[in-house]
Amino acid sequence: MTTGVIIALIVIVAAVVVVAVVLARRRPGGRDLKRRFGPEYDRAVARHDGDSQAAERELAERVDKHGSLRERDLEPAQRQQYEARWAAAQERFVESPREAVSEADRLLGEVAGARGFPDGGQYEEQLAALSVHHAHHVHGYRRVHRVAHTRGGTEDGARGGTEEMREAMVEARALFEELVGSGGRRERGRESAAPSGDARHARDDGHGHLPWTFTRRQAKGS
């Protein structure tokens, strides 16, 4: 092996080491991931049976794959259409909770797709991408999707199943509002402790949303 070849090999190895160091520095570490993902970080750790390193590898891979995604803006007409559909789903919940949850699940997938995330037909991929950009609210989508695809009731019976669906809808709404660009209005649109009343007669909050004023007693079992 000539001196020139040896020098070339040394240069190549040194370059590889430098690239590896740069990539390692760019990839977010545990503290950065925990700050970025918030409660989603804790869920990932729990999913990996407490193995934080495995969870961090998974989350880092999500960032590598979806971190550069740029969300598209919605046209005003699109936003109004989506908000009207969500309000209609909330109204429908009173009589048909399962249909309302299924519509919320479909709607979240459609809105996310319109914003530039993977198509709703690729649920797991879409969820992973959403978790990178909307980590603090993505669990609402996961929850409403799981409930929408659970056939029949739950072990707690119809009332427990209806309450679970209602809670999933409420949690999913936070992500919906972020996706349609109305996150700043969220506090005024949250479920309130107002006296119960049929959601079909609830007043609009001025932004195309119906406040969730009904209770589990008013929502029929699934």
Side-chain angles (χ1 to χ4, degrees):
M1 186 178 291
T2 64
T3 302
V5 173
I6 293 174
I7 293 175
L9 289 174
I10 292 173
V11 170
I12 292 172
V13 171
V16 171
V17 170
V18 169
V19 170
V21 170
V22 170
L23 291 176
R25 287 181 177 178
R26 284 184 178 179
R27 178 170 262 204
R31 184 175 299 177
D32 292 335
L33 288 169
K34 191 167 188 176
R35 181 168 55 250
R36 177 168 191 162
F37 283 92
E40 187 69 7
Y41 177 94
D42 295 329
R43 293 187 189 100
V45 172
R47 198 162 52 249
H48 286 278
D49 298 322
D51 187 341
S52 60
Q53 291 185 340
E56 287 166 12
R57 282 195 298 271
E58 176 193 326
L59 296 176
E61 287 172 3
R62 293 191 207 176
V63 175
D64 288 344
K65 189 170 186 178
H66 303 291
S68 61
L69 183 149
R70 293 291 177 266
E71 295 183 63
R72 296 192 294 261
D73 292 333
L74 296 176
E75 295 295 331
Q78 278 184 299
R79 182 178 296 110
Q80 291 174 6
Q81 182 184 51
Y82 288 137
E83 289 182 332
R85 285 176 59 188
W86 188 272
Q90 290 187 170
E91 289 185 80
R92 192 181 309 156
F93 190 96
V94 178
E95 297 296 334
S96 303
R98 187 163 296 283
E99 289 182 14
V101 170
S102 294
E103 170 64 5
D105 178 47
R106 284 192 299 269
L107 187 52
L108 281 170
E110 288 182 32
V111 177
R115 291 298 308 274
F117 290 93
D119 182 78
Q122 309 172 61
Y123 167 72
E124 293 295 342
E125 192 74 7
Q126 188 182 69
L127 187 74
L130 284 167
S131 74
V132 173
H133 298 271
H134 298 279
H136 290 271
H137 299 300
V138 72
H139 187 62
Y141 184 20
R142 180 185 291 116
R143 189 174 180 186
V144 84
H145 183 82
R146 182 175 63 244
V147 173
H149 289 78
T150 299
R151 297 301 174 190
T154 66
E155 292 181 0
D156 295 329
R159 174 166 293 185
T162 301
E163 178 65 10
E164 182 182 1
M165 287 187 280
R166 186 193 69 82
E167 290 176 357
M169 285 278 289
V170 170
E171 188 173 359
R173 179 171 171 169
L175 176 63
F176 172 79
E177 292 193 334
E178 281 201 350
L179 290 174
V180 297
S182 56
R185 303 198 294 255
R186 187 178 305 119
E187 289 305 316
R188 282 180 289 176
R190 290 276 183 150
E191 178 188 13
S192 67
S196 61
D198 193 323
R200 289 171 296 179
H201 303 294
R203 292 180 299 173
D204 188 279
D205 68 359
H207 300 289
H209 297 151
L210 286 168
W212 280 58
T213 56
F214 62 86
T215 67
R216 86 175 74 176
R217 290 190 301 275
Q218 291 173 287
K220 294 183 179 180
S222 57

